[in-house]
Amino acid sequence: MRIRAARIGSFGGIRDLDLEFGDGLTAVFGENETGKTTVLEFVRGTLFPDRRNRYPARARTDRGELDIETAAGERRTLVREANKVSGDAGLPAGIDSDTFRSVFAMAPEDLRDAGIISSGEIKSRFLTVPGGEALPEVIKDVEGRMRELLSPERRSESTEIAKVRKKLGENAEALADAVADDAGYGAMHARLEALRAEHAAAAEALKANAELMKLKGLRDSQKENRELLEGLREEHGRLGESAAVADGDPGEHARLKALLTDAAEARREAGSRATGRLLGLDPDRLIGCAAGIEGLGQTVTRRSDLNAELRRLTAARGAADGTATGTRARRRTMLAAAAGALAASVLMGIVIEPLIAVIGAAVAAGIAAMAFVGGRGASAADDAAARERIDRIRAELAATDSEWEALASALGRTGTPEAEAARLEDALRAARGLRDAQEAEEKRRRDLDAFLARFGSEERFAELVGMKDERKRLATRIETLTASIGAAGCADAEGDEPEDHDLLLGRYGELGDAVNEAARELRALREDNATEKLLDRRADLEAEMRDLACEWARLSLASSLIGEACDAVYSDLRPGVISTADRLLERMTDGRYGIEMDPRDNEIRAVSGPSGRKKGEWSTGLGDQVLLAVKLAVAKELSGDEPPPILLDDVLQMFDHGRREAACRAIADLAEDMQVIFFTCDRATASMLEATGRCKLVELHPGIRPRPQTI
C-alpha cells in the first residue's frame, strides 16, 4: 500500500493543503510551527483511527482525504469528517493501534520504547527461533545443576564433588594408618594404586583424544568458512582499481552535480525572464551590437536637442523674412513718392520756375536715398550664419539617421530610435544576463567534466564508487570471518590427528577390570575389620564420586550439544526479522555492527567481529540504531503482501551527524520495498535524505499554524 496524496480541508491549524507523496521515500520538511506534526497526525489518524490521539484537539470541522493505492494497483480514498473515517485502507490483520504507533508511526519517544519487541506476540512470532521458546529455561536448569556439582569458575569446597573429594582424602589418611604394618597388604595396595594410576592415565589419554577429535571436527566445520574467506579475498583484490576513488570523491561529485544543477536552473530562469524582453532578437546579435545600443540613449538626447535648436533657428529666420517683405513694400512706396515728386517738380519747373524743378529733383533724390537706406533690414552676415548652423544641424541629424538605420538593419528593427532606445537597452541587459547564466553553467559543466576526466566518464565513476562500497563491505566480512575462524580455535587448516578412540576406550576398560581384580585380591587379604570398613567406605565414596562425575559429564555434554544444536538450527532457521535488521544495522554502521539473536537466551545482540553486546551493554547511540533497525525490520515482516507506509517523526534527532547520515541511507534502502514518509524540522536531515538520490522532498512553509490547544 502507498499513500499517493493527502488533501486537508481543515485539521488543526491547516486549511486547504494538498500534498503528494513519492512511491518510496518522501521527506516532509518544515520549520517549527509550520504544521509538520499536524500533517503527520492527520495521516496517522486517518489511516489508523485511534481515539487516544490528543493532538491536535478534535473538532467537528475536521475534514480531509487520503488517496491510497493497494499493492494490486487499486485506488481508494479515505474520507475524514470530524471523528469518522470512511473507506477501507486494507491494513494487514494483526496490527493494533499500539503496534501501529510504536512500529509503523514512530516518534522519537516511540523509538526507545523496546517493550513492543521485547515480549509478547511480536517477540514470539518474529524474534524467536521456531520451537526454541523453552531453550533458555532448559539451559538455565542444566547450567544450574552443573554449578551445584562443580564450579568451573573458581575452586569451591561447597560443591557436591568437592565434598566427596574431601571425604575421600580423610578416608585415605585413615586407611594408610590402618595398613601401614601389613607388608603383604601394602604390596597389594601398592599394585592397586599403580593400576589405578595407569587407569587414570588411560582416562587422561582418552580425554585428550576426545579433544583432538573435537578440534578435528571444528577444522572440518570451518573448511567451508576458509574457502569462503579465500573467495572473499580474491574478490576484494579484484576490486582494487576502486582505490582510484578517494573517500571524499563521492561528496565532491555530488557537490559539483548540485552546482551544475543550480547553474542550469539559473540559466533556465534567466532564459524564461529574458523571453519577453529580447524582442524576438538573437542574444548574440544584441551583444554584438552592444556599442550601438549603449550609445542610442545619448543619440536620442542629442537628436532632441538638435531638433529643438533647428526649430528655434527656423522660426527666427521666418520672422526675419517677414520683416524684409515689409521693408520692400515701404521702399516701393517711397520710390513711387520720389518719382511723383520729381515729375511734379519738373512740370512746375517747365511751367513756373526752373529752380522748382531742381529743388524737386533734390527732394526726390533724398526720398529715394531714404528708401534704400532704411530698407537694408537685418545683417546679411547674420542670415548666412543661421543658414550655415541649420545646414550643420541637418547634416548631424542625417548622420544619426544613418547610424540608426545601420543599427536597425543589423537588428531587424523598423521603429524610430526614440521609440526603440529603451526597449533595446532592456533587451541588451536581458541578453547579457542570459549569456552570464550560460557561461556560469558551462563553467560548472567544465568543472564536473574535469573531475570526471580522472575516471573516464560519469558511468565509470559511478561503477568505481559502487566497487569501492562493495570492497569496504567485503573487507568487513573478511575481518569478521577471520576473527570467527580464529575464535573457533582452528585458525590452522592442519593439526594433530586423533588416535583410534575405540582402541583407547578398550585399553581403558581393560585397566578398569585389572583395578577391580586387584581390589578383590586386596579384600581377600584383609584381616582387620577396621581396615575393611575403611575400604568399604572408600568404595562407597568412589562410587558416589563416579556417579557425580558421570552426571556432570552428561550435563556438560548436554550443554555442548545444546550449544551446537542452537548454532546449527539458528543458521538454518534464522528469523527473517533478524536477517533484515542485520542488513539495516550493517548499513547504518558502515559494516561495523550486525545483529544476531542467541537462541540460548533469546536476546538480541549487536555483533562486531566475534564479540556481541546485549541490551544494557549498548551505548545510547548504538542502542538507538539497533532499535530502529529491529523495529523497521518488524514493520516489514508484519506487513505481508500489503505493507502499510512507515511514518517517521524526526526519529533521527538524537543521532549524531555520522549515524544520522548512515541511517538515512538505510531508510532509503528500506523504501525500495515499502513506502516511508519521514517528517522532520531539521534541514540537515532533509538534505541527507534527499542526497540519497531516492527521496522526494516536500516542504511546508510558514503560514500554516496549528490551532492553539487547551491543556
Side-chain angles (χ1 to χ4, degrees):
M1 176 201 304
R2 284 173 167 77
I3 300 176
R4 292 301 182 189
R7 294 182 294 279
I8 304 176
S10 175
F11 190 75
I14 297 177
R15 300 291 182 274
D16 301 325
L17 176 65
D18 292 350
L19 297 174
E20 293 184 355
F21 305 101
D23 285 347
L25 176 59
T26 300
V28 180
F29 167 73
E31 302 287 351
N32 289 329
E33 302 301 322
T34 56
K36 172 182 63 66
T37 302
T38 304
V39 173
L40 184 149
E41 287 297 337
F42 174 81
V43 174
R44 177 160 54 190
T46 303
L47 192 63
F48 203 110
D50 184 358
R51 293 185 177 276
R52 291 176 297 175
N53 290 344
R54 294 292 180 265
Y55 179 86
R58 297 165 183 256
R60 285 180 295 178
T61 58
D62 288 348
R63 56 186 174 82
E65 297 178 350
L66 277 186
D67 288 343
I68 63 175
E69 181 178 344
T70 67
E74 179 185 354
R75 294 280 186 143
R76 301 178 182 178
T77 298
L78 305 182
V79 180
R80 181 180 188 130
E81 293 287 347
N83 296 335
K84 296 181 179 179
V85 177
S86 60
D88 180 16
L91 291 172
I95 301 178
D96 57 25
S97 59
D98 288 338
T99 302
F100 184 78
R101 178 172 288 273
S102 182
V103 176
F104 289 91
M106 283 185 282
E109 61 272 16
D110 300 316
L111 174 61
R112 291 185 173 177
D113 178 13
I116 196 74
I117 61 172
S118 61
S119 61
E121 184 182 2
I122 287 181
K123 182 175 178 67
S124 63
R125 282 179 60 190
F126 302 115
L127 299 174
T128 303
V129 172
E133 297 85 351
L135 267 179
E137 192 65 29
V138 172
I139 292 173
K140 180 180 177 181
D141 291 343
V142 169
E143 292 179 348
R145 179 55 182 161
M146 288 178 67
R147 283 191 294 271
E148 290 176 0
L149 294 172
L150 182 65
S151 177
E153 293 87 3
R154 58 186 177 85
R155 187 175 182 85
S156 173
E157 297 298 328
S158 62
T159 63
E160 294 183 23
I161 289 179
K163 290 176 181 178
V164 174
R165 185 189 302 116
K166 181 179 180 181
K167 291 177 181 178
L168 279 170
E170 293 171 350
N171 176 267
E173 292 177 0
L175 189 58
D177 293 339
V179 299
D181 296 332
D182 190 342
Y185 187 89
M188 181 57 69
H189 184 269
R191 180 172 178 271
L192 178 60
E193 290 300 321
L195 287 171
R196 284 174 173 165
E198 193 173 352
H199 186 257
E204 288 297 324
L206 195 63
K207 180 180 178 181
N209 197 63
E211 286 297 321
L212 289 176
M213 291 176 66
K214 180 180 178 181
L215 287 175
K216 185 178 185 302
L218 286 173
R219 284 197 302 272
D220 293 342
S221 68
Q222 291 294 332
K223 179 180 179 181
E224 183 178 346
N225 281 344
R226 281 193 292 270
E227 292 174 352
L228 175 60
L229 179 61
E230 185 62 29
L232 290 175
R233 284 171 173 164
E234 290 179 1
E235 181 67 11
H236 185 269
R238 187 184 66 79
L239 297 175
E241 59 184 319
S242 65
V245 178
D247 290 341
D249 283 345
E252 178 65 10
H253 176 258
R255 185 185 72 83
L256 292 174
K257 288 278 286 186
L259 290 175
L260 177 57
T261 300
D262 292 344
E265 181 63 24
R267 188 261 305 157
R268 284 191 293 272
E269 290 178 0
S272 178
R273 290 193 300 269
T275 299
R277 297 168 58 195
L278 290 174
L279 306 177
L281 299 175
D282 179 62
D284 292 336
R285 180 178 295 182
L286 280 167
I287 294 172
C289 297
I293 295 173
E294 289 171 340
L296 196 56
Q298 294 180 351
T299 299
V300 169
T301 301
R302 179 61 178 159
R303 284 174 59 86
S304 177
D305 293 342
L306 290 173
N307 281 319
E309 185 178 1
L310 181 60
R311 287 192 297 272
R312 180 179 58 77
L313 289 173
T314 303
R317 288 197 71 249
D321 289 344
T323 301
T325 301
T327 300
R328 286 192 296 272
R330 285 194 301 275
R331 183 183 300 163
R332 287 194 297 271
T333 302
M334 292 180 72
L335 288 175
L342 179 61
S345 62
V346 170
L347 182 61
M348 290 179 67
I350 295 173
V351 176
I352 302 175
E353 178 64 43
L355 181 58
I356 293 175
V358 173
I359 294 172
V363 171
I367 291 173
M370 288 177 62
F372 280 104
V373 171
R376 292 178 63 186
S379 169
D382 291 341
D383 185 60
R387 285 180 177 277
E388 182 180 355
R389 178 58 183 158
I390 288 172
D391 291 341
R392 285 200 304 272
I393 289 173
R394 286 174 174 163
E396 190 170 349
L397 287 172
T400 60
D401 285 340
S402 298
E403 292 174 359
W404 164 245
E405 289 172 359
L407 180 61
S409 175
L411 295 174
R413 306 299 292 176
T414 59
T416 65
E418 288 78 8
E420 294 288 315
R423 299 176 67 192
L424 288 175
E425 287 174 353
D426 182 64
L428 177 60
R429 286 192 294 271
R432 283 176 169 166
L434 180 58
R435 183 185 64 180
D436 290 345
Q438 290 171 338
E439 290 177 349
E441 181 185 10
E442 186 58 32
K443 180 181 182 303
R444 295 304 184 191
R445 193 178 305 281
R446 289 196 302 272
D447 291 344
L448 179 60
D449 290 343
F451 172 83
L452 293 173
R454 293 166 44 203
F455 311 102
S457 66
E458 184 152 5
E459 292 75 12
R460 179 57 176 164
F461 174 72
E463 180 184 3
L464 288 173
V465 170
M467 292 170 65
K468 185 177 183 68
D469 291 342
E470 177 65 13
R471 195 164 190 255
K472 286 182 178 179
R473 190 185 69 80
L474 289 175
T476 302
R477 290 193 63 193
I478 289 170
E479 181 182 355
T480 302
L481 198 55
T482 301
S484 175
I485 293 173
C490 54
D492 296 329
E494 303 296 332
D496 294 336
E497 289 293 323
E499 298 181 38
D500 188 326
H501 199 68
D502 291 337
L503 290 177
L504 293 176
L505 192 59
R507 174 61 177 162
Y508 177 77
E510 292 173 358
L511 288 171
D513 292 341
V515 167
N516 292 334
E517 180 63 27
R520 283 194 298 272
E521 292 178 6
L522 189 61
R523 281 195 296 271
L525 297 175
R526 294 174 187 164
E527 295 178 356
D528 190 325
N529 289 335
T531 300
E532 185 176 353
K533 290 178 181 179
L534 288 172
L535 290 171
D536 290 341
R537 176 59 177 162
R538 185 175 71 178
D540 293 340
L541 289 173
E542 287 174 345
E544 184 179 358
M545 177 65 82
R546 282 193 300 272
D547 291 342
L548 293 175
C550 287
E551 182 182 1
W552 187 90
R554 287 193 298 271
L555 291 172
S556 178
L557 179 60
S559 177
S560 176
L561 291 174
I562 290 173
E564 292 179 6
C566 285
D567 292 339
V569 171
Y570 183 71
S571 64
D572 295 333
L573 301 177
R574 187 187 194 195
V577 165
I578 296 300
S579 298
T580 301
D582 180 47
R583 290 194 299 272
L584 289 172
L585 184 62
E586 182 178 314
R587 183 70 161 149
M588 288 185 199
T589 60
D590 291 328
R592 290 184 57 211
Y593 285 96
I595 286 182
E596 294 289 354
M597 191 206 70
D598 192 342
R600 296 169 182 83
D601 55 16
N602 281 341
E603 290 291 335
I604 293 173
R605 286 173 168 77
V607 179
S608 178
S611 62
R613 300 182 187 177
K614 295 191 294 186
K615 184 181 178 184
E617 300 173 350
W618 303 333
S619 66
T620 301
L622 178 59
D624 289 342
Q625 290 174 308
V626 171
L627 289 174
L628 179 60
V630 172
K631 286 195 173 187
L632 292 179
V634 168
K636 183 177 180 183
E637 198 73 16
L638 269 173
S639 302
D641 296 331
E642 193 66 58
I646 294 179
L647 311 176
L648 301 178
D649 184 11
D650 250 339
V651 295
L652 304 183
Q653 66 179 8
M654 292 174 287
F655 284 42
D656 58 36
H657 180 84
R659 285 189 171 104
R660 190 181 312 171
E661 193 170 38
C664 286
R665 293 194 296 269
I667 291 171
D669 289 346
L670 180 67
E672 297 290 334
D673 299 321
M674 56 196 306
Q675 187 183 39
V676 179
I677 304 176
F678 194 107
F679 294 81
T680 180
C681 62
D682 180 56
R683 170 66 72 179
T685 301
S687 298
M688 291 176 186
L689 290 167
E690 191 176 19
T692 64
R694 295 171 284 174
C695 174
K696 176 177 181 177
L697 179 62
V698 176
E699 293 199 33
L700 301 177
H701 300 286
I704 302 174
R705 293 289 184 266
R707 185 166 58 222
Q709 305 298 312
T710 300
I711 299 178

